[in-house]
């Protein structure tokens, strides 16, 4: 509790002493956080497959700018101007020299924080229980008489859970010590080797920027190693743990009646309580020496105090009291001993308590030294930064403006979606004209069958469209954030009267927002296609085309110019006979199996809406007259006469019949003959549409021209 109180007290002093200058200092903290978030975001973007590569370019530029600003903060806080400390390419030897100076303190801070986090972690209790079960299994095989006791019996009846918790903490400490034997050199070597390939360290940077980046590299390497993840409790760790040795002795003692002869002798030769307690204290001294030395190394750190480094130190300093309390609790000895042994143990306990107070004092001193040095540096830095607030503020505004311009430049360069929409509109307008004119192309028919026009466009690739859309959304989101941050920073520096002169106007900011709020959209038909609804609008527009086609057969004809719109001429031949005729817009030729007379040449046409049909055939009379043929055709359709009459036109007599079939279907037929062959024009339509159909059907008959 004492160490934690000292840490909190010194931290409060630091806050009070620097409160006058904290305003600008907070900006540096903000940029530290910003940099860490940018690095994390960059790693995530690298795994994202649905974004444009320029997003990574923007992220790299943002990281570069954040480091540039932090470098300016560092330079201003040390009182060294940019001119006096120019940005330069650092030699590898300089980087390694800085690494030698900064690695040990950061290693100590991180290791201490991980150790404190591991205290009481249930995972390590589980690992400990597994390790104990393994040892008990061997004990049952080698020490206890067969089938006398199980592992669960021993765990339940012979081992106190509090003893397992103590063993868990000791094994965890032993595991860290074991891992550290090679980790220090291994991690340091990995960081040094990274200097050679790290492109950021090869650029021109200031000494302060280099310090920040090296600190970041060390912390990243330490986090990757992660000492407390899946600790490996080797046999040599548990065998040398005093808490296990004591636990094993007590188990053998409680089960002395079922011991094998070999283990009975081993139990009798176990260390006496006084010697066991001495061994326990010596092991604890090893652990405490290790922990104290780590705090000492941490207090000498001159590393760049990044957010991560500061957080790890705060965890280690504020948790030091828990460490002392843990070792103080381990002094108790509750096992039955003789009076002489008890007196000896009590004397050793007093000696260790005095030593523990010394450890506590030393650790408290190291925490105090660290915080005092940081308070002095923080106060000095804040005073210097406050005196340079106008310069720093202008740099911040400039960096934000550069960032906004970069984002808008990339954002405005995305024109794939707009190009696709322009092509789409041109295609739709052409096909729409076809649909209403009746001049139906193969492309229009194909689009109807696919239910989409997008698939008809060679330049359209869905993945390209989606990638650009996702990239635009990402850039807009980031750019709007930066604009918002810049506006807040402008107000911040105005409030503290920093005297910044070069500021963007409100009109400039509004213009940036307007550009970012512009949607990729196109008015096509009755719909507005955008980057987010384009597939839905595509389906809607195809439906519109289909509906337009269905209306074409029933459009009124006004004058000769309209009469020719969408009409198509056809030829139907029989030996020695040729008939030409015109089909109006709105009917499409179809293949029909059951023609009027099997084997006779015929053509079949159906309206786009499927409600009417026209069939034209050459039919040999074979001794029949025209009226007999008409009756035969009417019967074939299951229809009844409604009206009939003879008529005459330019090529001779014809017979006209109007009949009615089931389901209110009207059948109208014209029949004329040449050389014992009848030419039949028959139309089927619903009763409701007959009045519109009549004029179209008559035009087909009037267009008929028969040549012998």
């Amino acid at each position: 509790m004492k160490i934690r109180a000292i840490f909190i007290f010194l931290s409060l002093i630091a806050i009070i002493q620097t409160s006058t200058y904290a305003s600008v200092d907070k900006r540096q903290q903000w940029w530290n956080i910003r940099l860490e978030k940018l690095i994390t975001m960059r790693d995530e973007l690298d795994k994202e497959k649905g974004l444009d590569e320029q997003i990574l370019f923007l992220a790299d530029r943002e990281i570069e700018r954040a480091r540039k600003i932090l470098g300016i903060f560092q330079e201003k806080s040390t009182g060294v101007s940019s001119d006096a400390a120019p940005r330069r390419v650092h030699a590898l030897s300089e980087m390694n020299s800085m690494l030698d100076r900064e690695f040990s303190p950061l290693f100590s801070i991180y290791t201490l924080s991980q150790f404190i986090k591991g205290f009481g972690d249930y995972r390590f209790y589980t690992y400990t229980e597994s390790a104990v079960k393994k040892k008990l299994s061997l004990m049952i095989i080698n020490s206890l008489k067969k089938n006398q006791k199980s592992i669960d019996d021993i765990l339940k009846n012979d081992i106190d859970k509090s003893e397992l918790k103590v063993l868990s903490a000791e094994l965890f400490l032993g595991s860290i010590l074991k891992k550290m034997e090679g980790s220090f050199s291994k991690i340091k070597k990995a960081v040094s080797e990274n200097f050679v390939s790290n492109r950021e360290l090869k650029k021109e940077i200031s000494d302060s920027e280099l310090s920040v980046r090296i600190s970041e590299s060390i912390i990243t390497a330490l986090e990757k190693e992660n000492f407390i993840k899946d600790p490996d409790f080797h046999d040599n760790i548990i065998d040398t743990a005093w808490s296990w040795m004591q636990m094993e002795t007590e188990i053998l003692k409680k089960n002395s009646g079922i011991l094998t002869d070999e283990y009975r002798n081993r139990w009798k030769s176990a260390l006496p309580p006084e010697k066991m307690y001495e061994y326990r204290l010596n092991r604890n001294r090893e652990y405490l020496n290790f922990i104290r030395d780590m705090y000492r190394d941490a207090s000498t750190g001159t590393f760049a105090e990044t957010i991560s480094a500061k957080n790890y130190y705060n965890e280690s300093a504020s948790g030091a009291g828990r460490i002392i309390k843990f070792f103080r609790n381990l002094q108790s000895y509750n096992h039955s001993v003789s009076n002489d042994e008890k007196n000896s143990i009590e004397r050793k306990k007093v000696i260790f308590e005095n030593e523990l107070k010394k450890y506590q004092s030393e650790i408290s001193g190291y925490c105090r030294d660290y915080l005092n040095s940081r308070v002095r540096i923080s106060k000095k830095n804040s005073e210097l930064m406050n005196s340079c607030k106008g310069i720093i503020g202008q740099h911040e505004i400039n960096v934000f403006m550069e960032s906004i311009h970069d984002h808008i430049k990339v954002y405005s360069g995305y024109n794939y979606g707009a190009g696709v929409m322009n092509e789409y509109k041109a295609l739709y307008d052409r096909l729409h004209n076809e649909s209403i004119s009746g001049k139906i192309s193969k492309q229009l028919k194909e689009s109807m069958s696919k239910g989409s026009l997008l698939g008809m466009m060679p330049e359209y690739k869905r993945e390209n469209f989606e990638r650009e859309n996702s990239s635009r959304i990402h850039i807009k989101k980031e750019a709007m954030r930066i604009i918002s941050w810049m506006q807040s920073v402008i107000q911040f520096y105005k409030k503290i009267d920093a005297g910044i002169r070069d500021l963007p106007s409100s009109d400039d900011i509004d213009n940036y927002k307007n550009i970012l709020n512009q949607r990729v959209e196109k008015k096509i038909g009755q719909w507005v296609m955008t980057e987010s609804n384009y597939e839905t609008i595509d389906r809607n527009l195809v439906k519109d085309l289909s509906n337009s086609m269905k209306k074409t057969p029933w459009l009124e004809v006004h004058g000769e110019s309209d009469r020719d719109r969408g009409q198509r001429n056809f030829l139907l031949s029989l030996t020695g006979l040729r008939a030409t005729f015109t089909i109006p817009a709105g009917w499409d030729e179809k293949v029909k199996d059951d023609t009027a007379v099997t084997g006779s040449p015929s053509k079949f046409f159906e309206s786009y809406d499927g409600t009417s049909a026209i069939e034209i055939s050459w039919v040999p009379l074979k001794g029949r007259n025209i009226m007999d043929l008409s009756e035969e055709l009417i019967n074939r359709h299951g229809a009844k006469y409604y009206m009939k009459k003879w008529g005459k036109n330019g090529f001779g007599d014809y017979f006209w019949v109007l009949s009615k079939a089931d389901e209110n279907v009207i059948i109208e037929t014209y029949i004329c003959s040449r050389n014992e062959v009848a030419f039949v024009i028959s139309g089927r339509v619903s009763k409701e549409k007959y009045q519109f159909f009549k004029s179209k059907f008559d035009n087909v008959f009037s267009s008929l021209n028969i040549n012998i």
Side-chain angles (χ1 to χ4, degrees):
M1 185 68 187
K2 183 179 178 183
I3 297 179
R4 181 175 175 81
I6 291 172
F7 175 77
I8 294 173
F9 176 71
L10 290 171
S11 298
L12 287 171
I13 291 175
I15 293 170
I16 293 169
Q17 287 181 332
T18 59
S19 61
T20 307
Y21 318 105
S23 57
V24 179
D25 192 43
K26 284 181 180 178
R27 294 301 310 147
Q28 184 178 13
Q29 295 174 20
W30 186 90
W31 279 103
N32 271 314
I33 295 171
R34 166 78 170 151
L35 177 58
E36 292 192 0
K37 289 184 176 180
L38 282 169
I39 292 171
T40 301
M41 183 184 74
R42 175 62 173 79
D43 291 340
E44 292 172 353
L45 289 173
D46 210 21
K47 302 171 187 175
E48 179 61 56
K49 304 299 182 185
L51 294 174
D52 184 58
E53 289 183 357
Q54 291 189 86
I55 301 297
L56 297 179
F57 161 77
L58 291 174
D60 288 338
R61 290 293 297 273
E62 288 303 294
I63 291 172
E64 187 178 326
R65 290 189 182 103
R67 284 177 168 152
K68 175 184 175 182
I69 283 293
L70 286 170
I72 291 170
F73 273 107
Q74 290 281 345
E75 290 168 4
K76 298 305 176 186
S77 67
T78 56
V80 180
S81 68
S82 299
D83 295 333
R87 300 165 72 84
R88 60 191 177 87
V89 176
H90 291 75
L92 186 60
S93 58
E94 292 179 274
M95 299 180 197
N96 283 320
S97 176
M98 192 174 289
L99 174 64
D100 290 337
R101 187 172 68 248
E102 297 183 3
F103 186 80
S104 183
L106 284 171
F107 184 91
S108 298
I109 285 172
Y110 178 78
T111 305
L112 284 168
S113 73
Q114 300 308 290
F115 173 61
I116 290 167
K117 282 180 181 177
F119 261 124
D121 192 316
Y122 184 77
R123 286 179 301 161
F124 305 121
Y125 183 88
T126 304
Y127 292 136
T128 301
E129 196 174 57
S130 298
V132 168
K133 284 183 177 180
K134 181 180 177 183
K135 301 300 288 186
L136 291 177
S137 177
L138 293 173
M139 182 186 292
I140 288 172
I141 294 171
N142 300 320
S143 310
L144 305 180
K145 292 180 180 178
K146 190 174 181 181
N147 299 326
Q148 294 292 314
K149 215 159 191 181
S150 69
I151 293 175
D152 290 336
D153 289 337
I154 297 173
L155 281 173
K156 183 177 180 180
N157 302 313
D158 299 339
I159 299 176
D160 192 284
K161 285 190 176 181
S162 62
E163 294 176 346
L164 276 177
K165 289 181 180 178
V166 171
L167 178 59
S168 174
E170 187 179 4
L171 294 185
F172 173 60
L173 251 177
S175 174
I176 285 186
L177 287 169
K178 185 71 177 173
K179 281 191 173 184
M180 282 185 59
E181 289 177 4
S183 292
F184 187 96
S185 300
K186 175 183 145 187
I187 297 173
K188 185 176 179 182
K189 182 181 178 183
V191 175
S192 179
E193 290 174 349
N194 184 52
F195 292 162
V196 178
S197 58
N198 191 327
R199 65 181 186 277
E200 293 295 325
L201 295 178
K202 295 179 181 179
K203 297 178 180 178
E204 292 186 350
I205 54 177
S206 66
D207 291 348
S208 55
E209 284 181 282
L210 178 63
S211 178
V212 169
R213 295 186 189 185
I214 288 179
S215 291
E216 289 172 353
S217 299
I218 294 171
I219 292 293
T220 300
L222 290 167
E223 289 173 339
K224 185 177 180 181
E225 184 69 15
N226 196 346
F227 293 142
I228 68 172
K229 183 180 180 183
D230 298 330
D232 190 2
F233 293 163
H234 292 294
D235 287 343
N236 62 339
I237 295 176
I238 190 170
D239 286 340
T240 57
W242 65 261
S243 46
W244 166 249
M245 294 171 67
Q246 184 171 290
M247 189 184 295
E248 183 185 34
T249 301
E250 290 299 317
I251 293 170
L252 293 172
K253 183 178 179 181
K254 289 178 181 179
N255 295 279
S256 59
I258 57 173
L259 285 176
T260 61
D261 291 338
E262 180 186 347
Y263 258 69
R264 187 183 302 278
N265 294 330
R266 176 174 174 177
W267 169 59
K268 287 180 178 179
S269 64
L271 288 174
E274 181 184 355
K275 292 293 185 181
M276 177 65 75
Y277 190 72
E278 181 66 32
Y279 179 78
R280 175 203 291 195
L281 295 182
N282 286 336
R283 290 294 288 167
N284 289 344
R285 288 184 182 104
E286 288 180 38
Y287 299 141
L288 282 164
N289 285 335
F290 158 72
I291 292 169
R292 178 202 58 199
D293 292 346
M294 298 288 269
Y295 276 105
R296 182 195 60 210
D297 288 347
S299 69
T300 62
T302 58
F303 50 84
E305 197 174 35
T306 62
I307 296 297
S308 294
K310 186 183 293 185
N311 288 342
Y312 286 130
Y313 188 82
N314 289 346
E315 289 169 359
S316 61
S318 61
R322 292 175 60 196
I323 298 174
I324 298 298
K325 182 179 179 181
F326 170 75
F327 284 102
R328 179 168 284 118
N329 292 337
L330 294 182
Q331 294 181 67
S332 61
Y333 193 88
N334 302 321
H335 304 283
S336 59
V337 293
S338 67
N339 287 333
D340 289 342
E341 288 173 327
K342 183 177 181 181
N343 291 333
S344 177
I345 288 172
E346 286 299 324
R347 286 193 297 272
K348 296 179 188 298
K349 188 187 295 185
V350 171
I351 293 171
F352 185 75
E353 174 60 30
N354 290 330
E355 292 175 358
L356 195 59
K357 288 179 180 178
K358 184 180 177 182
Y359 283 117
Q360 181 175 353
S361 177
E362 288 177 335
I363 291 173
S364 298
Y366 293 139
C367 290
R368 185 169 54 250
D369 290 345
Y370 175 87
L371 286 169
N372 281 337
S373 67
R374 290 295 165 178
V375 166
R376 288 192 298 272
I377 293 170
S378 178
K379 181 179 178 181
K380 179 184 176 183
N381 291 355
S382 297
E383 288 174 342
L384 288 166
M385 281 194 290
N386 204 47
S387 66
C388 302
K389 60 189 178 184
I391 298 172
I392 293 173
Q394 188 65 67
H395 277 296
E396 282 199 79
I397 302 300
N398 292 346
V399 161
F400 282 132
M401 289 296 292
E402 289 173 10
S403 180
I404 293 167
H405 287 155
D406 270 2
H407 280 74
I408 286 179
K409 182 179 180 180
V410 174
Y411 186 83
S412 301
Y414 287 130
N415 51 27
Y416 176 78
V420 167
M421 289 184 191
N422 287 334
E423 283 187 44
Y424 189 102
K425 184 179 187 313
L427 175 61
Y428 174 82
D429 289 345
R430 177 167 61 79
L431 296 182
H432 180 255
N433 288 334
E434 288 182 10
S435 70
I436 62 176
S437 68
K439 296 179 179 179
I440 309 304
S441 65
K442 181 180 178 182
Q443 193 175 33
L444 179 55
K445 291 180 182 179
E446 189 177 348
S447 68
M448 294 298 101
S449 64
K450 289 184 176 181
S452 170
L453 295 188
L454 289 170
M456 312 296 296
M457 301 168 57
E459 298 300 319
Y460 169 73
K461 296 289 184 294
R462 188 179 189 277
E463 58 271 22
N464 294 350
F465 204 103
E466 289 297 318
R467 184 184 299 111
E468 181 178 280
N469 187 25
S470 298
S471 300
R472 282 173 58 86
I473 291 171
H474 176 85
I475 291 176
K476 177 183 177 179
K477 183 179 178 181
E478 287 301 309
M480 284 297 195
R481 280 179 181 171
I482 295 167
I483 291 171
S484 177
W485 290 333
M486 182 179 69
Q487 288 177 297
S488 298
V489 168
I490 290 172
Q491 293 304 314
F492 168 79
Y493 281 109
K494 282 183 177 179
K495 187 175 181 180
I496 63 174
D497 194 24
I500 300 173
R501 296 181 179 179
D502 189 8
L503 296 173
S505 67
S506 58
D507 289 342
D508 289 335
I509 293 175
D510 288 342
N511 185 47
Y512 300 147
K513 291 180 179 179
N514 289 337
I515 292 172
L516 293 167
N517 282 322
Q518 289 176 359
R519 294 196 307 173
V520 177
E521 60 181 30
K522 197 74 177 179
K523 180 74 164 61
I524 306 174
Q526 61 176 328
W527 306 96
V528 176
M529 179 179 282
T530 70
E531 54 202 342
S532 58
N533 71 2
Y534 68 99
E535 289 181 318
T536 301
I537 298 304
D538 174 47
R539 291 191 293 270
N540 292 343
L541 288 167
V542 171
K543 289 178 183 177
D544 288 351
L545 287 175
S546 176
N547 291 333
S548 295
M549 289 174 62
K550 291 175 182 178
K551 293 176 182 178
T552 305
W554 317 117
L555 296 176
E556 292 186 25
V557 176
H558 301 286
E560 291 300 318
S561 60
D562 274 4
R563 186 181 302 280
D564 294 336
R565 184 187 59 200
Q567 293 186 152
R568 288 163 298 160
N569 297 320
F570 290 90
L571 169 68
L572 188 62
S573 301
L574 188 64
T575 305
L577 297 170
R578 288 166 53 87
T580 59
F581 53 90
T582 301
I583 296 295
W587 275 266
D588 200 16
E589 185 174 4
K590 303 283 186 178
V591 175
K592 190 170 183 292
D593 294 332
D594 57 333
T595 53
V597 178
T598 302
S600 301
S602 66
K603 286 187 178 294
F604 181 80
F605 304 90
E606 188 176 67
S607 62
Y608 296 146
D609 61 357
T611 62
S612 66
I614 299 173
E615 186 171 3
I616 301 175
S617 307
W618 281 111
V619 182
L621 287 172
K622 296 181 180 179
R624 296 169 295 182
N625 59 40
I626 290 177
M627 294 181 67
D628 292 338
L629 178 60
S630 70
E631 187 172 346
E632 183 180 320
L633 294 175
I634 289 172
N635 291 335
R636 174 189 287 272
H637 293 301
K640 295 181 180 179
Y641 277 115
Y642 186 68
M643 293 179 65
K644 56 185 175 178
K645 67 176 181 179
W646 283 93
K648 193 176 184 67
N649 61 8
F651 55 78
D653 296 334
Y654 66 84
F655 187 64
W656 173 83
V657 179
L658 188 65
S659 58
K660 183 178 179 183
D662 293 339
E663 300 179 354
N664 285 327
V665 172
I666 302 297
I667 301 176
E668 185 173 2
T669 307
Y670 285 96
I671 305 175
C672 56
S673 65
R674 286 290 186 277
N675 298 341
E676 291 299 314
V677 178
F679 189 79
V680 181
I681 302 178
S682 180
R684 294 169 56 88
V685 68
S686 64
K687 183 178 180 181
E688 292 76 15
K689 290 191 174 180
Y690 176 69
Q691 59 177 325
F692 306 106
F693 176 78
K694 174 63 176 170
S695 61
K696 306 285 185 179
F697 187 67
D698 286 346
N699 287 337
V700 175
F701 181 65
S702 63
S703 70
L704 180 64
N705 186 19
I706 299 176
N707 296 313
I708 300 176

